[in-house]
Amino acid sequence: MTDSPRAQVEAWQRRALEDPERFWREAAAGVAWFTPPEHVFEQPDPPSFRWFGGGTTNIAHNALDRHVSAGRGDHPALIARNERGERRQLTYAELLAEVDRIAAALRASGVQRGDRVTIYMPTCVESIAAMLAVVRIGAIHSVVFAGFGAGALRDRIVASGSRLLLTADVTYRKGRDVALTPIVAAALEGETPVERVVILRRDPHIEAPSSWTAWDAFLEAGGEPAAPEAMGADEPAFVIATSGTTARPKLAVHGHGGYQVYATAMGRWIFDLRPEDRWWCTSDIGWIVGHAYMVHVPLIVGATTIAYEGALDHPDAEAPWRLVEEERVTGLFSSPTAIRSLMRHGNEPPAQHDLSTVTRAVSAGEVLNAPAWEWLSRDVFGDRIPVIDHMWQTETGGPIFGNPLGVARLPIKPGSAGVALAGVDAAVVDRDGHPVPPGTKGIMTIRRPFPGLIATLWGEPQRYVDDYWSRVPGQSVYYVGDAAHVDEDGYVWFAGRADEIIKIAAHRIGTIEVETALLRHPAVAEAGVTGRPDELRGEVIAAFVVLKAGHAPSDALRAELLAAVRDDLGPVAVIGELTFVSMLPKTRSGKIMRRVLRAVVLGTDPGDITTIEDEGSVEEAREALVELRGALRS
């Protein structure tokens, strides 16, 4: 008799917790090693640690050389598309040749093992090949989203100590050519560690400083390709800034060993990634999702990965669904923000296209609220495929909660991130560090390291200890930073960041819970909430709502939404004000910046907003709130 999916998953979880050395040694066999690891896990200096000590490998070798050597050089590796309709396809052999050329040019420029290289480029063939080339020669890349302003770019260049900057003159966004050259020039004013700038020219009308090197000239000056460097498992492959919902980003450090083993294993276990897949991750290369599940893991498993530059809904709302049909996408990875944005356009755009090749869709970034899940699962895919939410962080290198499709598919609970994944020893605790029973909201923690977890922050080892391992009194546990509860079946339900919980008359309500209640109304496309001080109750809710196309703000609609929240969460969910806006302040990776909403509500300075997607959203929220308060007073 075959075990139930539940029993299979529980056995998988149990193996990892009871014998982690054996479990992760077996997982490490899923990637190629130049030298096999001598040790699985070492922790001579807690809370830092090492995985796969003595082993040598290289992410780029696993992603490219290994497949070409195995005779799969003609298999499509990368398909690069953009909103202008341009398409470029490279096989594994062709992508390896491109990476080799850039690697040779990097070496000819004096870039050595351990040097940092900042990549400030759009998601395109050259930027992806550059990421792999940097890693190939043993250097360390720091990819910065090509849309951040000069201040954010400069901060990341200085923090990483990059000697070389790779950039492009423009990126494409919503039908516009967005010039990057002036942003780079402004970022490099004054003293920085950058010694050389290499620029990919795409628009001949945009001028660049004469001291910068053109991409083609950079490549022509390179020498002969060389074998990839054999890198120690704990040697850094890249540094990447956290996404910026907090005011000061930090540089997470991911190495060749632990990150590669973990991200690849989870790609197989959670997403069921296979060589025959045509996998589309809609992320940008500037985020950890783009690093792991657009660039690294699909190539490591030998699949075809699809990269896209531009806005998903440009030139029209059919654009993403058209791409799915044309490229015969089998696996789709997107974010709740993107899904809710597409939901605003209704059911007609996806209905115009053949989506039958898609076998699963996954989402991460924030909670995939039940209404957005229902739209994607039922209206778009007709309940034909699993639509899976899951949760992870820049710091974890891969999923930590989810539904392991590659092990056994568990029943889906819309709104839940799934269960703790194998090797993730999770516990929800109260503010004194005591475990709480099922159904009780607390703070999510992880009690032991796993291979994808960062072991330090670049240049800030003490901040690593303070921010992640010293937050729970009397315990050395990894502080995830999110409020959550676990139900009787072991499913995890996140309520928002722990410091964003709203306390109304001694009751604790998560921002996600209120936003989900608002999203259940058919007129609502997006919602962001925060707490506002209240003399009577301690705090009340301040809500900002974006409406779907075809719906207009009105007092009647506001009353409906207030009633909807009350019906869903009870009378304790007191909304002090509900403001209609056309957009929410979000990070470039799509996370709602609730601290910015709180600053708007309190009339205070929102602090560093260099990671924000559209600064106009802050001013609009302020103006809308002023208008609402004026209307209420009158």
Side-chain angles (χ1 to χ4, degrees):
M1 181 177 178
T2 303
D3 287 341
S4 69
R6 182 76 181 179
Q8 293 178 60
V9 171
E10 288 176 348
W12 175 63
Q13 294 168 316
R14 192 163 52 250
R15 285 199 308 273
L17 293 179
E18 291 177 355
D19 192 353
E21 292 261 334
R22 180 178 178 183
F23 182 85
W24 290 117
R25 187 178 292 279
E26 291 174 354
V31 302
W33 297 84
F34 300 124
T35 308
E38 298 174 5
H39 310 282
V40 175
F41 178 73
E42 301 167 279
Q43 195 170 26
D45 186 24
S48 195
F49 47 85
R50 291 195 300 267
W51 285 93
F52 310 117
T56 61
T57 184
N58 189 294
I59 290 172
H61 168 78
N62 271 298
L64 297 172
D65 303 67
R66 189 165 54 106
H67 301 301
V68 175
S69 298
R72 298 187 72 245
D74 291 337
H75 189 76
L78 171 64
I79 297 171
R81 298 278 302 258
N82 62 41
E83 66 174 33
R84 300 165 61 151
E86 297 169 340
R87 181 184 190 273
R88 188 175 170 193
Q89 177 174 307
L90 283 77
T91 65
Y92 273 87
E94 289 168 339
L95 182 56
L96 175 57
E98 186 80 10
V99 169
D100 262 339
R101 290 180 69 204
I102 299 173
L106 289 169
R107 284 192 171 113
S109 295
V111 178
Q112 300 178 6
R113 186 182 185 125
D115 286 345
R116 278 78 64 205
V117 177
T118 291
I119 300 174
Y120 182 69
M121 300 177 72
T123 299
C124 60
V125 167
E126 289 82 2
S127 59
I128 291 171
M131 291 172 67
L132 294 167
V134 170
V135 168
R136 183 178 182 82
I137 68 170
I140 302 164
H141 65 64
S142 171
V143 181
V144 180
F145 173 66
F148 277 163
L153 174 58
R154 179 185 176 85
D155 289 346
R156 286 153 176 77
I157 289 171
V158 172
S160 67
S162 294
R163 297 174 52 215
L164 177 67
L165 171 62
L166 305 180
T167 189
D169 52 12
V170 297
T171 184
Y172 309 133
R173 181 73 179 174
K174 291 188 179 295
R176 296 184 299 118
D177 289 3
V178 180
L180 302 180
T181 304
I183 297 172
V184 173
L188 297 180
E189 289 179 357
E191 187 174 344
T192 74
V194 171
E195 299 170 4
R196 187 179 186 186
V197 178
V198 177
I199 183 168
L200 174 67
R201 301 308 302 265
R202 307 167 100 190
D203 186 339
H205 301 101
I206 295 181
E207 294 184 3
S210 59
S211 60
W212 295 5
T213 304
W215 191 267
D216 290 344
F218 170 68
L219 296 182
E220 289 169 4
E224 290 297 314
E229 288 284 321
M231 302 300 294
D234 60 347
E235 287 190 81
F238 62 90
V239 297
I240 181 170
T242 54
S243 57
T245 55
T246 56
R248 188 163 68 96
K250 39 202 169 190
L251 292 184
V253 183
H254 282 292
H256 282 263
Y259 159 79
Q260 183 179 191
V261 169
Y262 189 80
T264 302
M266 289 300 171
R268 292 181 170 124
W269 294 335
I270 310 308
F271 309 139
D272 199 20
L273 258 169
R274 303 181 182 199
E276 59 268 25
D277 270 319
R278 295 173 70 87
W279 177 261
W280 184 23
C281 173
T282 68
S283 177
D284 185 275
I285 57 168
W287 316 123
I288 187 64
V289 170
H291 282 51
Y293 295 110
M294 184 196 343
V295 180
H296 296 145
V297 177
L299 295 176
I300 289 171
V301 303
T304 301
T305 188
I306 298 165
Y308 184 79
E309 177 187 358
L312 281 181
D313 57 356
H314 186 85
D316 54 50
E318 291 184 33
W321 314 114
R322 188 182 301 115
L323 187 150
V324 168
E325 179 178 20
E326 292 173 352
E327 299 297 350
R328 305 186 308 284
V329 171
T330 59
L332 181 64
F333 186 153
S334 197
S335 69
T337 299
I339 293 166
R340 290 192 295 261
S341 175
L342 295 173
M343 186 172 68
R344 295 175 68 177
H345 299 290
N347 297 347
E348 190 65 21
Q352 300 305 306
H353 297 277
D354 179 6
L355 310 179
S356 62
T357 58
V358 181
T359 60
R360 70 276 196 210
V362 298
S363 173
E366 285 201 309
V367 171
L368 181 62
N369 313 79
W373 178 90
E374 290 164 0
W375 177 76
L376 190 61
S377 180
R378 298 173 185 174
D379 295 350
V380 175
F381 290 112
D383 284 333
R384 180 181 58 80
I385 66 169
V387 173
I388 302 299
D389 191 9
H390 65 294
M391 186 274 187
W392 51 303
Q393 301 174 317
T394 301
E395 295 90 340
T396 68
I400 52 177
F401 302 98
N403 193 323
L405 298 179
V407 178
R409 176 179 163 186
L410 294 173
I412 297 169
K413 294 189 179 185
S416 168
V419 300
L421 301 176
V424 178
D425 186 6
V428 178
V429 302
D430 62 24
R431 294 195 174 272
D432 294 321
H434 303 123
V436 300
T440 302
K441 196 177 298 173
I443 300 166
M444 180 60 73
T445 64
I446 296 174
R447 292 180 286 206
R448 67 173 80 171
F450 51 89
L453 187 64
I454 61 169
T456 191
L457 293 171
W458 186 262
E460 297 185 292
Q462 188 57 48
R463 188 182 182 191
Y464 172 74
V465 175
D466 295 343
D467 283 8
Y468 297 112
W469 293 94
S470 303
R471 299 289 294 274
V472 178
Q475 297 187 41
S476 180
V477 294
Y478 176 79
Y479 179 83
V480 176
D482 287 295
H485 75 271
V486 179
D487 67 19
E488 296 287 349
D489 296 322
Y491 284 68
V492 178
W493 301 78
F494 285 101
R497 298 294 294 174
D499 55 4
E500 293 173 347
I501 291 294
I502 303 169
K503 306 175 188 67
I504 304 175
H507 295 278
R508 295 165 58 83
I509 296 180
T511 54
I512 299 296
E513 295 170 300
V514 182
E515 290 165 6
T516 298
L518 289 165
L519 283 165
R520 293 188 192 280
H521 193 283
V524 176
E526 292 187 289
V529 306
T530 186
R532 173 176 65 75
D534 180 81
E535 288 186 9
L536 177 62
R537 300 174 181 86
E539 280 189 305
V540 292
I541 299 162
F544 296 84
V545 172
V546 178
L547 298 178
K548 292 179 182 177
H551 295 272
S554 69
D555 290 341
L557 180 55
R558 181 179 284 109
E560 286 182 28
L561 295 176
L562 296 177
V565 173
R566 184 184 179 92
D567 290 345
D568 200 27
L569 298 177
V572 68
V574 179
I575 296 183
E577 55 233 342
L578 188 151
T579 310
F580 295 109
V581 293
S582 66
M583 55 182 158
L584 295 172
K586 286 177 283 191
T587 67
R588 301 281 184 167
S589 61
K591 293 183 175 68
I592 297 171
M593 297 182 79
R594 296 181 185 87
R595 68 173 177 83
V596 174
L597 292 178
R598 185 167 179 83
V600 167
V601 169
L602 298 178
T604 59
D605 183 352
D608 179 17
I609 57 171
T610 57
T611 62
I612 202 164
E613 182 179 36
D614 193 323
E615 295 186 23
S617 61
V618 182
E619 193 56 39
E620 184 196 297
R622 286 184 177 132
E623 292 173 357
L625 189 59
V626 169
E627 182 180 340
L628 170 66
R629 287 174 174 167
L632 292 176
R633 283 195 297 269
S634 62

